[in-house]
Amino acid sequence: MNTHAISYPSLQRRLIAERRSRALFLPRTTQHLRSASLAVEVARALVALTALAAWGAVLFVVAG
């Protein structure tokens, strides 16, 4: 086997070490909603609920 070939375990070790070394410098992964994006999320939820209600109405009409 070539000495420069990368085996799967060595690749895993390298990736884990790279993740650990970068973890201190990455931004936080938790999502904090801003007030503007909160309005967008509420609008998305309303659109989703409206679509769900419309889909239910279509199924009700088709079944009836």
Side-chain angles (χ1 to χ4, degrees):
M1 185 171 178
N2 187 352
T3 57
H4 297 290
I6 299 175
S7 66
Y8 187 69
S10 69
L11 181 61
Q12 277 187 320
R13 283 192 301 272
R14 184 182 297 176
L15 288 174
I16 289 170
E18 187 176 319
R19 280 191 209 126
R20 286 181 181 158
S21 67
R22 289 185 308 157
L24 296 174
F25 304 103
L26 291 177
R28 299 250 180 232
T29 56
T30 55
Q31 294 180 354
H32 297 285
L33 294 176
R34 296 184 200 118
S35 59
S37 64
L38 182 61
V40 171
E41 293 300 321
V42 169
R44 284 183 184 173
L46 289 175
V47 168
L49 288 174
T50 304
L52 183 64
W55 183 243
V58 167
L59 288 178
F60 184 74
V61 170
V62 169

